[in-house]
Amino acid sequence: MTQPHSSTGGGRRRGAVSVPDLVSGARDGDPRAVGRLISLVEDESPLLREVMAALAPYARTARRAHVVGITGSPGVGKSTSTNALVTELRRAGKRVAVLAVDPSSPFSGGALLGDRVRMQDHALDPGVFIRSMASRGHLGGLAWTTPQALRVLDAAGCDVILVETVGVGQSEVEVAGLADTTLVLLAPGMGDGIQAAKAGILEIGDLFVVNKADRDGADEVRRHLRTMLALADRGEGAWKAPIVKTVAATGDGVAEVAAEIERHLGWLEESGELVRRRTRRARDEIESIALTRMRARWGDVHGRSELDELADAVVAGESDPYTAADRLLDVLGA
């Protein structure tokens, strides 16, 4: 897949859109078709339902892409590590997609960081597709449409999809809900040892990478992680997360990271955890879509006269808030 031009819109603004043609093009590895489909996802296009229905059958016939989440605090070298990992995966003959979830622009709602700025080394590689997605103000740092974008890339024949998060707030935890394998990056001199104990990353990390290992303190971070992981309660046969030291800027240790990612995929398949994680991911996706539609349907509830009447009844002691809420749900048809 050659690198597509950045696209900021989908839907119907550029003329009629043929979903079957776009899906067929994406299946053939056409980067423009893939880009248009992801734009439809980002724009929450009315065609999105048709797109997802068209992609669904391919989940039964294709070997699904290995989704790898990459997260960590700002400054640990996520983009550099992602770039180096893409190089290693391409060396192994893998088709790779990178979905970089960036902070949203307060003006346009689009991603602030450009995909080409991050990944110049792979801009012309036909086996790499890179796309920035805006978080659009989502508090966890991941756009709620990210799972649909993953479905597009999966159908496009990617072997590995790297999801790089904003690295703020809840994104470290949220990425684990999207990924088959979660890679947590740390670096010396950034207080990551304390963060490991506080942020819950010990629970979500399948692989820990201490980047910038040529700096003082790298061994200390690794020792601290080992100690904390040894204290974790793990059942028999559970995966034991390895710790790898890297210098992503030079590529040192990246081959070992790629090998551990592949080893984790093997464990997921043999243990049955891969199916469990993907089922859980589908459940979360269905719930997110349903709740989003409910919020859209009830978005104008504050403007309804029935709400004022129910509030007056509660204040007057003629009703209680639970009964009033039940009546409001009846009015809304919920």
Side-chain angles (χ1 to χ4, degrees):
M1 290 179 285
T2 53
Q3 185 65 23
H5 294 290
S6 297
S7 52
T8 56
R12 305 174 184 274
R13 288 180 295 182
R14 287 182 250 175
V17 174
S18 169
V19 169
D21 287 348
L22 288 178
V23 170
S24 177
R27 291 289 296 164
D28 291 337
D30 177 6
R32 293 185 181 277
V34 176
R36 289 294 299 277
L37 286 173
I38 295 181
S39 290
L40 293 177
V41 170
E42 280 200 286
D43 292 345
E44 300 174 36
S45 166
L47 295 174
L48 189 51
R49 179 189 292 268
E50 183 182 352
V51 170
M52 291 299 113
L55 293 177
Y58 297 109
R60 297 195 300 265
T61 59
R63 185 180 190 273
R64 304 290 294 277
H66 185 191
V67 180
V68 179
I70 300 177
T71 190
S73 303
V76 296
K78 290 193 297 295
S79 293
T80 304
S81 296
T82 301
N83 186 61
L85 188 54
V86 170
T87 299
E88 190 61 35
L89 292 170
R90 289 296 294 139
R91 188 175 290 127
K94 307 270 190 189
R95 298 180 71 186
V96 184
V98 178
L99 199 61
V101 184
D102 291 328
S104 300
S105 164
F107 303 104
S108 67
L112 284 175
L113 304 179
D115 44 25
R116 292 173 188 269
V117 174
R118 297 164 176 258
M119 305 281 176
Q120 286 293 332
D121 294 346
H122 308 289
L124 300 178
D125 186 341
V128 180
F129 181 91
I130 302 166
R131 177 68 177 243
S132 291
M133 280 188 72
S135 60
R136 308 227 168 178
H138 184 62
L139 293 178
L142 297 178
W144 76 272
T145 51
T146 303
Q148 284 82 56
L150 293 177
R151 289 182 182 277
V152 172
L153 295 170
D154 189 15
C158 296
D159 296 307
V160 180
I161 304 172
L162 303 177
V163 182
E164 181 192 333
T165 71
V166 176
V168 294
Q170 273 297 107
S171 62
E172 287 90 350
V173 177
E174 284 202 356
V175 73
L178 287 174
D180 301 319
T181 299
T182 301
L183 188 159
V184 178
L185 277 167
L186 304 99
M190 303 188 68
D192 281 322
I194 297 174
Q195 183 190 7
K198 288 185 175 181
I201 63 169
L202 291 176
E203 286 76 18
I204 62 106
D206 298 306
L207 169 61
F208 293 91
V209 175
V210 180
N211 190 34
K212 305 181 181 179
D214 53 343
R215 296 185 179 181
D216 292 339
D219 289 334
E220 182 181 354
V221 172
R222 188 176 188 178
R223 281 195 302 271
H224 183 80
L225 268 175
R226 277 181 172 168
T227 301
M228 298 300 294
L229 289 171
L231 295 174
D233 184 17
R234 299 180 185 276
E236 185 177 351
W239 171 259
K240 296 182 180 179
I243 305 170
V244 180
K245 293 199 305 182
T246 64
V247 182
T250 63
D252 291 349
V254 178
E256 186 179 352
V257 172
E260 291 292 357
I261 289 173
E262 188 68 22
R263 188 169 71 89
H264 184 247
L265 177 60
W267 176 84
L268 289 170
E269 292 173 336
E270 292 174 8
S271 66
E273 181 64 18
L274 184 62
V275 173
R276 287 191 288 272
R277 290 190 181 194
R278 289 179 173 177
T279 301
R280 184 168 61 243
R281 193 157 76 210
R283 286 183 52 157
D284 291 343
E285 183 181 3
I286 294 167
E287 180 181 5
S288 177
I289 292 171
L291 291 176
T292 298
R293 292 184 64 187
M294 288 170 65
R295 281 193 292 267
R297 183 186 302 172
W298 298 345
D300 61 347
V301 66
H302 284 286
R304 299 185 71 102
S305 60
E306 294 95 334
L307 182 59
D308 292 332
E309 295 168 3
L310 291 168
D312 289 341
V314 170
V315 171
E318 299 169 359
S319 181
D320 65 86
Y322 286 94
T323 300
D326 289 340
R327 290 178 179 172
L328 180 60
L329 289 174
D330 290 339
V331 169
L332 294 173

